[in-house]
Amino acid sequence: MNIVDAKVIVCCPGRNFVTLKLVTEDGITGLGDATLNGRELAVASYLNDHVVPLLIGRDARRIEDTWQYLYVGAYWRRGPVTMASVSAVDMALWDIKAKAAGMPLFQLLGGRSRDGVLVYGHANGQTVEDAVRAVAHYLDLGYKAVRVQSGIPGLASTYGVGRGKLFYEAAEPGTAPAESRWSTEAYLNFLPGLFERVRAEFGPDVHLLHDAHHRLTPIEAARAGKLLEPYHLLWLEDPTPAELQEGFRIIRQHTTTPIAVGEVFNSVFDCYKLIQEQLIDYIRTTVVHAGGITHLRKIASLAEMHQVRTGCHGATDMSPICIAAALHFDLAVHNFGVQEYMPHLDETERVFPHAYTFQDGYMYPGDEPGLGVDIDEGLAARYPYDPAYLPVNRRLDGTMHSW
Ligand code: CS2
Ligand code: MG
């Protein structure tokens, strides 16, 4: 079953996506998401110039060997561009293998470990009351878990507060990143009141989550965790930049608020200390950024041994291909926690028809062979790439800060 064709499709149906499509000599196609938000063309080039030529003629059944060939064989291992490319190839090969077997991917990953995949949505608002109304809306939609983000008095903008209605799109069109200003003091003074209000409105049972988006120091994150303990969040996400994994020991020493991290990680080596020392409770690595199904299973296995659960990233810059792959993985993996789900725009849904469904707070990958997702190339061609960047963030005095 050799690969006879491989193509990279860049399109922008509401936001930019990079898709890899492989075709075998048997006519079986496989799809992989290769979207790296704000750096899409870098991955498209890595795939077109350095990966696609190597795939033609390779046996599509050799998934692990192809993974190692692209990882070890690159010499320059890891990094977001390389690993998004490896991930896309891996997703496409698993798609092909499951289609050839005539079964949905989750059956090849060990079958169902649960009936459905618990997902969380993104409630946000410019004010606390706007955020409260947004939480109510998500609960009306059937969500059992809701991430809550709010504007902060005195700051013109902040992470996670959208320009749209139902969901938050991080990237902004333009040829340079927009700039925002940040005050950790204002944030920490504001944060507990937000969740005090939300808990007062909705009671103790709904799962609440919050994303600090890498913006605190470890001791500030420890303070945030302590401030949030009365509101027993499902998780506090990305409390501090994770390059220094040991820094999370400081957070752990001070608070029982569960910690989630990992959406920017590209391999197990970015998180093995966090997992082995149980410094986190959820690992957020994704199919598209952390080496595909093949490597994500290895991360999940290490996490399982250390009572860490999965919580895959699922923002709108994960294409429906990645979301489909994640749902198959989530349905089968034992130590599943929760899956992030931000519904895509209608034009995205039309370009990427898929079998997965949402119902009453849970998602289901469907029973179609493979990933259960396709790409309408003709329609995709009508949405050419449109430059867009993630914002950059500066403290009030102008110092660069994590966005
Ligand atoms: C966020 C994302 O969904 C999340 O948890 O961290 O919105 C993230 O900012 C974007 O996916 C970055 O592309
Ligand atoms: Mg996040």
Side-chain angles (χ1 to χ4, degrees):
M1 188 188 285
N2 288 349
I3 297 166
V4 294
D5 187 34
K7 68 166 71 172
V8 179
I9 303 161
V10 181
C11 63
C12 188
R15 57 147 299 110
N16 291 308
F17 295 108
V18 181
T19 301
L20 174 69
K21 181 172 184 178
L22 303 183
V23 184
T24 71
E25 59 193 325
D26 320 67
I28 301 176
T29 62
L31 293 178
D33 182 16
T35 305
L36 183 62
N37 203 354
R39 297 294 185 274
E40 292 87 359
L41 297 187
V43 181
S45 167
Y46 191 100
L47 283 168
N48 273 320
D49 299 330
H50 305 297
V51 173
V52 162
L54 306 181
L55 294 177
I56 305 303
R58 281 191 69 87
D59 183 343
R61 294 168 297 185
R62 300 183 62 177
I63 298 179
E64 181 70 35
D65 181 62
T66 300
W67 196 99
Q68 299 295 342
Y69 179 73
L70 295 176
Y71 179 82
V72 176
Y75 187 74
W76 312 103
R77 303 176 187 190
R78 297 198 283 166
V81 174
T82 299
M83 296 312 289
S85 302
V86 173
S87 302
V89 174
D90 190 77
M91 264 181 261
L93 294 180
W94 277 106
D95 193 14
I96 289 168
K97 189 173 281 288
K99 285 176 177 175
M103 57 182 70
L105 177 58
F106 68 82
Q107 294 292 12
L108 290 188
L109 303 180
R112 296 175 192 280
S113 294
R114 55 196 54 79
D115 299 328
V117 175
L118 176 70
V119 292
Y120 73 87
H122 279 205
N124 66 79
Q126 292 291 350
T127 67
V128 170
E129 293 311 311
D130 290 343
V132 168
R133 279 187 285 273
V135 173
H137 180 61
Y138 272 88
L139 297 179
D140 289 344
L141 291 174
Y143 283 83
K144 307 293 184 285
V146 184
R147 187 187 86 165
V148 187
Q149 307 289 139
S150 168
I152 299 167
L155 298 183
S157 65
T158 189
Y159 164 72
V161 179
R163 302 178 297 278
K165 300 185 298 294
L166 187 60
F167 60 85
Y168 168 66
E169 174 52 66
E172 295 186 31
T175 54
E179 297 217 354
S180 55
R181 289 293 166 119
W182 173 251
S183 162
T184 296
E185 295 73 18
Y187 169 72
L188 290 175
N189 290 333
F190 170 79
L191 186 62
L194 168 64
F195 283 92
E196 180 182 28
R197 175 72 183 88
V198 172
R199 274 290 178 224
E201 183 75 19
F202 300 106
D205 297 330
V206 60
H207 295 303
L208 298 178
L209 305 89
H210 182 70
D211 192 345
H213 220 256
H214 324 274
R215 296 189 175 198
L216 305 174
T217 63
I219 200 64
E220 291 167 346
R223 179 180 161 202
K226 283 174 72 93
L227 288 169
L228 292 172
E229 282 179 10
Y231 314 111
H232 55 86
L233 270 58
L234 181 73
W235 79 39
L236 172 61
E237 177 183 344
D238 282 333
T240 193
E243 285 92 331
L244 184 69
Q245 295 181 49
E246 299 88 336
F248 282 69
R249 293 173 187 154
I250 296 171
I251 305 170
R252 223 37 166 190
Q253 287 161 9
H254 292 279
T255 181
T256 59
T257 293
I259 301 297
V261 71
E263 69 182 47
V264 298
F265 294 170
N266 312 128
S267 82
V268 67
F269 300 105
D270 293 329
C271 54
Y272 74 97
K273 279 185 192 169
L274 292 167
I275 292 171
Q276 286 175 327
E277 293 187 30
Q278 297 181 314
L279 300 177
I280 60 174
D281 304 279
Y282 296 89
I283 184 63
R284 296 263 292 141
T285 38
T286 65
V287 183
V288 63
H289 293 305
I293 294 287
T294 297
H295 195 67
L296 194 59
R297 294 177 85 193
K298 297 178 181 180
I299 293 172
S301 297
L302 176 67
E304 180 184 343
M305 288 187 276
H306 297 85
Q307 299 188 59
V308 173
R309 285 177 281 180
T310 67
C312 290
H313 185 205
T316 47
D317 44 298
M318 312 299 110
S319 91
I321 298 166
C322 179
I323 296 298
L327 292 170
H328 284 278
F329 168 81
D330 294 337
L331 198 63
V333 71
H334 169 65
N335 53 317
F336 168 74
V338 67
Q339 169 67 48
E340 177 179 7
Y341 177 54
M342 291 172 70
H344 289 102
L345 290 171
D346 290 344
E347 51 263 52
T348 300
E349 298 276 314
R350 287 193 290 271
V351 170
F352 296 96
H354 55 76
Y356 62 77
T357 55
F358 169 90
Q359 186 179 352
D360 198 27
Y362 291 81
M363 289 188 75
Y364 305 86
D367 290 303
E368 283 187 19
L371 292 176
V373 62
D374 201 352
I375 182 170
D376 181 331
E377 292 186 56
L379 195 53
R382 289 158 55 180
Y383 297 98
Y385 170 75
D386 183 17
Y389 281 87
L390 289 170
V392 299
N393 195 25
R394 293 180 181 273
R395 295 201 286 272
L396 296 182
D397 69 358
T399 306
M400 274 299 296
H401 195 76
S402 295
W403 169 70

